[in-house]
Every structure is written in C-alpha cells, then in structure tokens.
C-alpha cells in the first residue's frame, strides 16, 4: 500500500477512542481527580496530547496520544517520509502494593512500508504478588490465542528480553507482552492482533488495582517502593526505545518524560 496508508485516520481514531476509555477507567478509581490535557505541536507534521493525573490513588499517571510525521524516519538509515501514531501510558501509584503498569500501541509507516508495535507490562514496586502476575499474563495470553497459540510465548519472551536492565542483571518487572516491527503481510489480521492487545489492557490491570489501591502499608514499605522506582527510571532513560525515538525525532520533552515517577530514591 502507498504512503499515506489508506487506514491511517481509522487507526488514529481507534487509538484516541481507546485512550479515552482508559482515562475514564482510571478516573473511576480516583474519585474527585481527573486527567489534565495539554495539546502540543510537532515541529514538522502533527502533534499530540498529554493527559496527566495527580490524585489520591494515582500519585502520577499519564495517558498520551501522538501523531507525528516528517521528512525522514529518525531511527532508520533510509530516506523518505514517515508518520508515527500511538498511545503510551504509565502509572505510578500511591500505594506501594499497587504495581506500576505500562502500555503502548503504535503504528509507524514510511515510504518503504509499515508496521505495528506495542504491548503492556507490569512492574511491582517491591511487592510482587503471584496472583496478580498470573491474572495479568492470563489476560495477555487470551488476547493473542485467537490469532495463534504461538504468539503469546513469542511476545511474552520479547517482553522478558526487552524489559531487561543489563546493569542490574534483572527484568524490570514481571513481564507481559512486547512486539515491534510486526507485519506478517496480512494487514487486517495484524491490525486485529494489535487492537486486541489494546482492548484487553483494562481487563488485565483494573482488577489488580481494585484489589491493591486501598491495602494498608507502612512507612518502610513506602521507602521500598521509592527505591524500586529508581530501577524503573534507569531503564527508561538508558534503554527504552520509545524514549530514544521521542528525543531523536524532536518530540515534546514533557510528553516523553511523562513516564518518570514523581518521587524516587537512590
């Protein structure tokens, strides 16, 4: 297919709709607080919208959308126009027993082709619960099994490898799903895989948050949470492709760094 892709606008609308669903679900967990939205323009084509909440349950949460384009893809040696659209979210919870969650969906097209990417992963901040991990991975597996039982093992292994902190010699969290440069040649099927990952995200995380956000915790547990966040920061600044892409493409620094926790200790 040519550039721009014939379904570009449809994909953008899907992403924006999913972003709004997630915002409403998160706000329902934190009554009295809402996401504050800020529009930004990209220096070449397009822009995005940051949506950030600072509440009682969500010490900080961000659910961002962007759609940007330009003359040449910033992380590719080839020349030619590109367009990238996606949503990216992160949560940093007040309660140490409520894990951080990250989700990203993206669609990237260049004059040479297109691909899908994304996934979601769970990072307990010092307090991993096996039942939470089991639930999260069960939903992730169910999201992919209709498209082939080989996808979950592959995407789950991708997450284990991608969300690895080399200098700490450990995974960032308890895993989930990760895929990139996904293009099997069947656009409609690839789109359905991508959308099903997005559509199941709330099912994966909301039951965990309902169970954990009001759990009692001590000052010592809060200190452990803040220390655990340090590893999250290290990963995002040193290794995360999205962070690198954002800066290399000249994106909005505030939107790129929304993933940073509000408080952290080393």
């Amino acid at each position: 297919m040519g550039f721009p892709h014939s379904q570009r606008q449809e994909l953008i609308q899907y992403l924006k709709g999913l972003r709004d669903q997630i915002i409403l679900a998160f706000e329902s967990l934190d009554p009295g607080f809402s996401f504050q939205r800020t529009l930004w323009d990209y220096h070449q084509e397009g822009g995005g919208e940051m949506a950030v909440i600072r509440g009682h349950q969500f010490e900080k949460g961000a659910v961002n959308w962007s759609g940007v384009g330009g003359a040449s893809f910033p992380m590719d040696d080839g020349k030619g126009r590109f367009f990238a659209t996606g949503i990216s979210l992160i949560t940093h919870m007040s309660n140490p027993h409520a894990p951080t969650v990250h989700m990203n969906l993206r669609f990237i097209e260049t004059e040479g082709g297109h691909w899908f990417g994304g996934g979601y992963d769970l990072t307990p901040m010092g307090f991993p619960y096996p039942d939470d991990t089991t639930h999260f991975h069960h939903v992730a597996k169910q999201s992919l099994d209709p498209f082939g039982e080989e996808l979950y093992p592959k995407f789950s292994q991708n997450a284990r490898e991608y969300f690895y902190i080399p200098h700490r010699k450990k995974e960032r969290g308890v895993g989930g799903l990760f895929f990139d440069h996904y293009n099997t040649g069947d656009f409609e099927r690839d789109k359905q895989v991508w959308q099903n990952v997005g559509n199941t995200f709330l099912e994966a995380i909301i039951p965990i948050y309902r169970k954990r956000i009001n759990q009692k915790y001590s000052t010592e547990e809060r200190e452990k949470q803040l220390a655990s966040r340090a590893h999250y920061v290290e990963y995002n600044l040193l290794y995360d492709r999205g962070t690198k892409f954002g800066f290399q493409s000249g994106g909005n620094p505030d939107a790129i760094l929304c993933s940073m926790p509000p408080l952290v200790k080393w």
Side-chain angles (χ1 to χ4, degrees):
M1 296 185 180
F3 183 96
H5 195 280
S6 61
Q7 293 194 36
R8 179 193 288 186
Q9 292 304 316
E10 176 186 328
L11 298 176
I12 289 172
Q13 291 308 310
Y14 166 76
L15 289 168
K16 287 183 173 180
L18 178 62
R19 189 260 319 250
D20 289 343
Q21 290 177 26
I22 293 169
I23 285 175
L24 287 174
F26 282 177
E27 287 179 340
S28 72
L29 295 175
D30 215 344
F33 296 93
S34 60
F35 281 81
Q36 304 302 307
R37 303 188 184 216
T38 305
L39 294 170
W40 59 271
D41 293 324
Y42 188 57
H43 66 278
Q44 295 190 58
E45 170 193 342
E49 184 179 57
M50 295 167 40
V52 179
I53 187 172
R54 295 178 185 271
H56 176 64
Q57 305 291 2
F58 289 87
E59 189 172 358
K60 179 185 177 185
V63 187
N64 298 337
W65 171 84
S66 64
V68 301
S72 60
F73 191 57
M75 296 182 73
D76 186 75
D77 294 332
K79 297 181 180 179
R81 294 172 295 166
F82 81 96
F83 183 79
T85 185
I87 58 174
S88 181
L89 71 82
I90 188 71
T91 64
H92 295 292
M93 311 305 291
S94 298
N95 194 312
H97 298 280
T100 282
V101 74
H102 161 260
M103 191 273 275
N104 171 269
L105 286 183
R106 56 194 172 275
F107 174 73
I108 296 175
E109 53 176 321
T110 69
E111 292 187 58
H114 68 267
W115 64 89
F116 294 95
Y120 45 72
D121 63 284
L122 195 69
T123 306
M125 288 298 166
F127 303 94
Y129 288 94
D131 52 332
D132 292 353
T133 302
T134 298
H135 167 78
F136 195 81
H137 278 270
H138 176 70
V139 174
K141 184 176 186 298
Q142 284 189 316
S143 76
L144 295 173
D145 279 354
F147 306 99
E149 293 186 358
E150 76 282 358
L151 286 182
Y152 169 74
K154 179 180 179 181
F155 289 1
S156 182
Q157 180 62 28
N158 288 348
R160 281 190 288 271
E161 294 174 1
Y162 179 69
F163 296 110
Y164 183 77
I165 309 175
H167 65 278
R168 296 288 182 184
K169 295 181 173 57
K170 69 169 191 174
E171 289 182 55
R172 185 173 78 174
V174 295
L177 304 174
F178 178 81
F179 61 102
D180 200 9
H181 290 85
Y182 188 66
N183 180 344
T184 68
D186 186 338
F187 181 85
E188 288 302 320
R189 181 184 179 278
D190 294 349
K191 181 179 71 173
Q192 290 174 16
V193 170
W194 182 73
Q195 289 180 332
N196 221 39
V197 170
N199 293 343
T200 57
F201 168 72
L202 288 174
E203 182 184 351
I205 190 59
I206 293 297
I208 295 174
Y209 280 167
R210 286 179 178 154
K211 183 164 48 174
R212 302 297 175 197
I213 57 176
N214 293 312
Q215 193 168 330
K216 292 183 179 180
Y217 63 90
S218 66
T219 301
E220 290 76 16
E221 288 171 329
R222 171 65 168 170
E223 290 295 308
K224 187 174 182 179
Q225 176 197 41
L226 296 180
S228 298
R229 284 179 176 176
H231 299 178
Y232 203 91
V233 171
E234 292 164 9
Y235 175 86
N236 277 29
L237 292 180
L238 291 172
Y239 307 113
D240 185 73
R241 291 180 199 169
T243 303
K244 293 179 180 179
F245 174 80
F247 284 126
Q248 291 179 9
S249 63
N252 184 315
D254 291 332
I256 297 165
L257 294 173
C258 268
S259 64
M260 295 296 102
L263 292 172
V264 63
K265 285 189 176 182
W266 275 271

